[in-house]
Amino acid sequence: MRNLFVYCSFLLGLALLSSCEKTFQYDSDNIPPFEGLTPPEPGKGYQIHVPPFPVPAQYEREIYIRMDVGNEEDIYVNTFNVLCRPGTHHMIAYGYRNENDPEHPAIGVMRDQNLPDGRANFNLTMGSGAMYCGAQEPRFDLDLPPGIAMKIPAGATIDINSHYFNVTDEVLFGEVFLNMITIPEDSVKEILKIDDINNDEHLFLPAQEATTIVDEKTFGRDTQIRQMFAHMHKRGYKFEVFKKGGDRDGDLLYVSFDYQHPPYQFFDPPLEIKRGESLITKVYYNNETDRDISYGVTSEDEMGILFYSKVLE
């Protein structure tokens, strides 16, 4: 039954790509082998596997696919292990606020973010209400300290967002494995939730110019932050985060110089942000092209997002 589901998901992904009129040649019987992750032992975790999907030559493909977790009860994930085929730009695991919403996409059906002409499909729906994990390299392991976990509610589905670049003249394939290792509820001392600061409303990069975009988020309540990681595209060359107000006013809290492999920073003890204090993001870009660049989802657009995990009260 599982093999049938995997095969059907693969065919659905191919059909969706064909419906977008993006044609390519490939040998479906000769997909390169790839050793994935061994699923967690029963009772110790769950695995989500997005089967191989084609990425045409000289094309970037970003897909979403909603998958069942298979958990009948609330689970508490302390470790995330991600493994993707080479060529990945990112993998994000989103959750849904209301699993029974009829507007949610069907389970197991791939949806394409990129249109055939390279523009973004901003009408695409995606998971809402939670983000559980984000990886920006082929192999990523997030091991939270003992007693700290992400809560995933009973009966959950996860929307896997996978983005691949293919700069070769041959068809490549994407594939994603996500293992979620759980801990018993009675051992949980702290639950985290991921939030973000996004400079999309201010992001505009004039042609042939270096530009710095500064954004500020003022907190309406006392907040404890456990970790941070940044996301930008190839014209971003530095990402800084500063504290404004209270203790550590003006301190540089985080810095990344590599859009492909930004560091994940954990705060122990948690970073304290009092009500009325702020986090400031400062992102440096160099637009060497002859066109203006703004916010967008493709590699030729830009982003400047700080993801941070806060402690739930």
Side-chain angles (χ1 to χ4, degrees):
M1 186 67 181
R2 176 175 173 82
N3 290 337
L4 177 62
F5 170 75
V6 168
Y7 180 66
C8 289
S9 297
F10 179 65
L11 291 182
L12 283 166
L14 297 182
L16 181 55
L17 192 62
S18 298
S19 70
C20 291
E21 300 179 354
K22 184 69 181 177
T23 59
F24 54 94
Q25 298 295 322
Y26 70 97
D27 183 356
S28 60
D29 295 324
N30 195 29
I31 298 174
F34 182 69
E35 184 177 353
L37 295 176
T38 301
E41 296 179 16
K44 295 187 177 180
Y46 297 81
Q47 182 181 88
I48 289 180
H49 174 213
V50 179
F53 56 91
V55 184
Q58 298 297 330
Y59 186 71
E60 62 180 271
R61 189 176 184 196
E62 182 170 4
I63 63 98
Y64 288 81
I65 181 168
R66 185 181 175 209
M67 309 284 276
D68 266 319
V69 175
N71 59 317
E72 297 181 356
E73 300 178 345
D74 294 348
I75 58 174
Y76 299 85
V77 180
N78 177 259
T79 297
F80 292 90
N81 303 121
V82 179
L83 181 63
C84 306
R85 283 182 182 255
T88 180
H89 173 53
H90 72 244
M91 187 294 305
I92 303 176
Y94 291 104
Y96 285 91
R97 181 177 292 108
N98 176 12
E99 290 288 352
N100 299 317
D101 189 332
E103 298 299 318
H104 288 340
I107 295 174
V109 178
M110 287 187 179
R111 297 114 60 205
D112 270 77
Q113 174 75 80
N114 303 96
L115 299 174
D117 61 5
R119 292 180 298 117
N121 176 15
F122 283 111
N123 293 321
L124 187 70
T125 59
M126 56 182 281
S128 61
M131 174 179 165
Y132 299 125
C133 177
Q136 299 178 74
E137 49 196 286
R139 178 64 197 244
F140 174 74
D141 300 290
L142 175 62
D143 296 302
L144 295 171
I148 300 179
M150 297 277 188
K151 179 181 177 180
I152 299 180
T157 60
I158 286 182
D159 212 11
I160 296 292
N161 170 216
S162 177
H163 191 175
Y164 271 82
F165 299 165
N166 183 2
V167 297
T168 76
D169 294 325
E170 299 179 357
V171 175
L172 299 181
F173 288 85
E175 186 172 5
V176 177
F177 290 84
L178 171 63
N179 281 2
M180 298 171 286
I181 311 302
T182 59
I183 58 176
E185 182 178 4
D186 59 11
S187 70
V188 176
K189 301 176 182 177
E190 193 174 286
I191 297 175
L192 302 183
K193 179 181 179 181
I194 298 179
D195 208 337
D196 66 78
I197 301 172
N198 194 338
N199 69 5
D200 56 333
E201 294 184 359
H202 313 294
L203 206 167
F204 180 76
L205 311 179
Q208 295 292 335
E209 289 188 19
T211 304
T212 302
I213 305 294
V214 179
D215 198 20
E216 178 177 349
K217 177 182 175 65
T218 301
F219 287 74
R221 62 175 62 187
D222 292 354
T223 302
Q224 293 183 312
I225 293 176
R226 275 296 191 184
Q227 68 174 5
M228 294 179 177
F229 62 97
H231 182 77
M232 53 187 176
H233 291 177
K234 61 186 175 184
R235 269 100 196 178
Y237 63 90
K238 184 164 66 170
F239 195 119
E240 296 178 326
V241 181
F242 297 89
K243 171 91 184 306
K244 179 180 177 181
D247 294 341
R248 304 191 63 178
D249 179 44
D251 281 2
L252 176 63
L253 304 173
Y254 175 95
V255 63
S256 172
F257 298 98
D258 186 348
Y259 83 95
Q260 292 180 302
H261 307 292
Y264 282 65
Q265 181 165 324
F266 191 83
F267 295 93
D268 188 15
L271 174 67
E272 300 279 353
I273 308 290
K274 299 295 185 182
R275 178 180 178 182
E277 297 176 356
S278 303
L279 289 179
I280 294 176
T281 62
K282 192 173 184 180
V283 191
Y284 301 78
Y285 304 91
N286 182 27
N287 180 7
E288 82 291 358
T289 73
D290 293 325
R291 62 183 178 86
D292 296 338
I293 295 176
S294 57
Y295 175 85
V297 299
T298 77
S299 62
E300 294 301 323
D301 304 310
E302 261 304 336
M303 288 188 175
I305 307 173
L306 175 71
F307 294 102
Y308 62 93
S309 298
K310 61 185 180 181
V311 180
L312 288 182
E313 298 177 354

